[in-house]
Amino acid sequence: MKPLNYAILKHFTKVKEACAEDVIEALKDEYGDFKALNKDDVLLALMTAEANGLLEETRFEMDQAGQLRIYYHAHEEGAATINKYIKD
């Protein structure tokens, strides 16, 4: 099993785009017992990956509860870097 932050990054090499809630849903079967698999910590991981040039923001929207959802994707260079350092 990969560290959670690695799994979060690797998820973006397999999907067109995702928000924190999408990542949590995708990883909950394998990482559901991890304390850091929550919206705040996943969002922090996504913003860190964006600041480091691995992900970029694609869009944002308000959900039905009035919460902001920020969507990210791994651009070509970011996905290549993620795949270079994090193997399946």
Side-chain angles (χ1 to χ4, degrees), residues 56-68:
E56 61 186 10
E57 188 178 309
T58 56
R59 64 186 174 97
F60 56 90
E61 66 184 23
M62 298 297 277
D63 68 12
Q64 292 179 348
Q67 297 293 314
L68 180 65

Side-chain angles (χ1 to χ4, degrees), residues 8-74:
I8 291 169
L9 290 174
K10 198 67 173 169
H11 178 69
F12 282 90
T13 66
K14 300 172 184 174
V15 297
K16 180 179 175 182
E17 69 175 8
C19 64
E21 292 83 359
D22 295 336
V23 172
I24 293 167
E25 183 64 29
L27 299 180
K28 74 178 180 181
D29 288 342
E30 190 171 359
Y31 294 88
D33 293 334
F34 283 55
K35 286 184 180 181
L37 190 63
N38 63 68
K39 184 178 177 180
D40 289 338
D41 289 333
V42 170
L43 190 54
L44 179 61
L46 298 179
M47 291 188 298
T48 300
E50 179 186 25
N52 288 317
L54 298 173
L55 301 178
E56 61 186 10
E57 188 178 309
T58 56
R59 64 186 174 97
F60 56 90
E61 66 184 23
M62 298 297 277
D63 68 12
Q64 292 179 348
Q67 297 293 314
L68 180 65
R69 287 191 180 193
I70 304 170
Y71 289 81
Y72 296 89
H73 82 113

